[in-house]
Amino acid sequence: MNLTIAIPKGRLGSQAIKMFKAAGIGEVIDENSRKLIFNDENLNISFLLLKNSDVITYVESGIADIGISGKDMVMEEDADIYELYKMNIGKCKMAIAGIKDSDIFKDDSIIKVTTKFPRLAKKYFKSKGQIIKLNGSIELAPILGLSDVILDIVETGNTLKENGLEVFEDMYQISAVVISNKVSYKFKRKEIKEIIDLLRWEDNNGKDN
Ligand code: PRP
């Protein structure tokens, strides 16, 4: 096939790898190892295990032909790529949250917002927000006084709950998407379509796997 597929590490990646394996591809991936690249020589497919936020960079540059990314990152990066298929995995929501029962968000004054998504936050809060970019453990920021609210993804809601935070406002529903490099899509359309058809089948019918 001669394809390179970028997969995010972590929760979303594990679900995606499970799906690839159920579809009969990606047997070579061993999540317990520290290897970051796995080559399936029979199928001629390479898998790159990347940080979620780097999948888009590798796909946009063409080093990876396709990738699995959260829609949150796709919205944040606004990259020159195609979004080919919206998956049924990685479902969560983007929301504004803060310390439970606090009334900071009701106030109309400028508030401090910590987030992994500074561009989305700037668009959302406009002049009402002072945006501070963090790379993880976002929920700590309001507790320690670095921000008034967070703009983050909420999946099970456990991280908010266990840190005494609550959602103040829901923004958008999101899920994982299959993205493609634009040139790859032109020259490897048949191979890419084949992978997406397999994933789509697993996504819709393979729930018992
Ligand atoms: C994400 C997100 C929240 C958490 C939400 O972080 O930023 O912290 O998951 O999930 P939950 O609603 O199921 O608790 P992630 O686990 O990717 O870790 P990070 O803080 O290192 O980015």
Side-chain angles (χ1 to χ4, degrees):
M1 266 194 179
N2 189 21
L3 266 191
T4 300
I5 304 178
I7 298 179
K9 293 195 276 187
R11 269 192 286 190
L12 175 58
S14 294
Q15 291 177 70
I17 290 168
K18 204 170 150 212
M19 206 182 264
F20 275 113
K21 289 194 177 183
I25 43 183
E27 289 300 332
V28 288
I29 304 171
D30 176 5
E31 273 193 277
N32 298 320
S33 101
R34 296 290 299 162
K35 268 183 79 169
L36 300 172
I37 179 162
F38 295 92
N39 298 311
D40 185 327
E41 274 154 28
N42 294 326
L43 296 174
N44 202 7
I45 299 178
S46 297
F47 295 90
L48 312 179
L49 299 195
L50 305 169
K51 198 162 166 61
N52 195 8
S53 50
D54 294 335
V55 167
I56 294 168
T57 308
Y58 275 85
V59 170
E60 188 176 31
S61 71
I63 292 175
D65 298 301
I66 59 172
I68 310 277
S69 172
K71 174 75 179 174
D72 48 341
M73 285 297 166
V74 172
M75 286 164 71
E76 172 68 16
E77 296 299 326
D78 197 20
D80 195 21
I81 44 140
Y82 291 133
E83 272 180 67
L84 299 180
Y85 174 58
K86 182 167 171 253
M87 304 176 84
N88 281 318
I89 58 170
K91 288 194 168 169
C92 46
K93 66 183 178 185
M94 185 83 80
I96 312 295
I99 292 176
K100 204 166 176 305
D101 300 327
S102 108
D103 50 11
I104 185 85
F105 193 56
K106 294 179 191 124
D107 199 320
D108 217 22
S109 54
I110 294 176
I111 52 175
K112 285 195 255 175
V113 184
T114 43
T115 184
K116 291 183 231 177
F117 309 98
R119 281 194 216 159
L120 287 179
K122 263 181 209 136
K123 259 194 219 161
Y124 194 79
F125 283 94
K126 301 196 173 76
S127 56
K128 290 231 168 67
Q130 182 197 329
I131 315 301
I132 303 161
K133 163 129 203 272
L134 288 178
N135 296 303
S137 303
I138 312 294
E139 290 81 357
L140 264 182
I143 300 168
L144 300 179
L146 182 64
S147 69
D148 301 310
V149 297
I150 63 171
L151 183 162
D152 199 11
I153 50 172
V154 180
E155 194 171 343
T156 60
N158 289 341
T159 315
L160 289 182
K161 203 169 156 210
E162 289 184 23
N163 291 288
L165 308 186
E166 66 179 359
V167 169
F168 292 155
E169 193 162 290
D170 289 333
M171 294 169 70
Y172 342 91
Q173 294 295 327
I174 50 184
S175 71
V177 286
V178 179
I179 57 171
S180 166
N181 174 268
K182 288 191 165 175
V183 176
S184 301
Y185 191 66
K186 192 166 174 194
F187 293 104
K188 300 183 182 178
R189 187 177 302 210
K190 189 170 154 282
E191 294 91 325
I192 291 173
K193 218 180 149 299
E194 232 174 275
I195 300 284
I196 289 178
D197 285 346
L198 284 170
L199 288 177
R200 182 182 286 122
W201 196 91
E202 285 306 325
D203 211 11
N204 294 306
N205 304 296
K207 296 210 163 63
D208 299 334
N209 287 326

